[in-house]
Amino acid sequence: MNSRKRLLRWASGIMLVLGIGHLSLLALVTWEDITAWADRGMWAAVPLALTDGGAGQTLESLQNKVIFWAGPGSFAVPLILMGCLTWHLAGRRVAVPAAIGWGLAAWCALGGILLVPSPFFAGIVSGTLIILAARKKDRPGAT
């Protein structure tokens, strides 16, 4: 396996672990609330009901919104998809553009600073690996 492919596979593995881990942990912690969505219908996750006369939202409504935006509405799903795409491109020996790595590293650095302690900083490693893989030159005959 050449070094570019190895770097991209490590980067995609980190992204997959972060995304799947995030969704799995949330599912374990809030399982009752998530299964309640299935009982009440998927629209129960983030109801579109408008409040009348300036009445405040209920605690249950706010909790549903927090769980939705922390889970399926979070960046975990696109991070999993990006990890799968990076893994696929690595198998085809196609480099992911360095700009993607820079964007991922910057986003994870900002998230890590704003939400300490968190595994956001592991995403910086993934972004750095993508940047390094984009800058590597494939040697002919390298396997």
Side-chain angles (χ1 to χ4, degrees), residues 9-19 79 122-123 125-126 129:
R9 289 278 165 102
W10 272 102
S12 64
I14 292 169
M15 287 186 274
L16 289 170
V17 166
L18 287 174
L79 192 62
V125 175
S126 186
L129 292 174

Side-chain angles (χ1 to χ4, degrees), residues 25-111:
L25 184 63
L26 183 78
L28 288 173
V29 172
T30 62
W31 184 250
E32 291 177 9
D33 295 316
I34 293 172
T35 56
W37 294 346
D39 292 340
R40 294 185 312 236
M42 288 308 291
W43 290 109
V46 182
L48 299 176
L50 300 174
T51 57
D52 293 332
Q57 296 180 345
T58 65
L59 181 61
E60 181 182 354
S61 174
L62 289 173
Q63 185 176 1
N64 278 333
K65 289 178 183 179
V66 167
I67 293 169
F68 175 78
W69 289 112
S74 72
F75 199 72
V77 175
L79 192 62
I80 292 169
L81 294 173
M82 193 164 76
C84 290
L85 177 64
T86 303
W87 186 277
H88 174 75
L89 292 176
R92 292 181 174 257
R93 300 189 191 286
V94 176
V96 177
I100 299 297
W102 282 109
L104 179 63
W107 176 73
C108 288
L110 179 63

Side-chain angles (χ1 to χ4, degrees), residues 107-128:
W107 176 73
C108 288
L110 179 63
I113 291 168
L114 294 175
L115 187 65
V116 175
S118 76
F120 260 112
F121 291 113
I124 297 172
V125 175
S126 186
T128 304

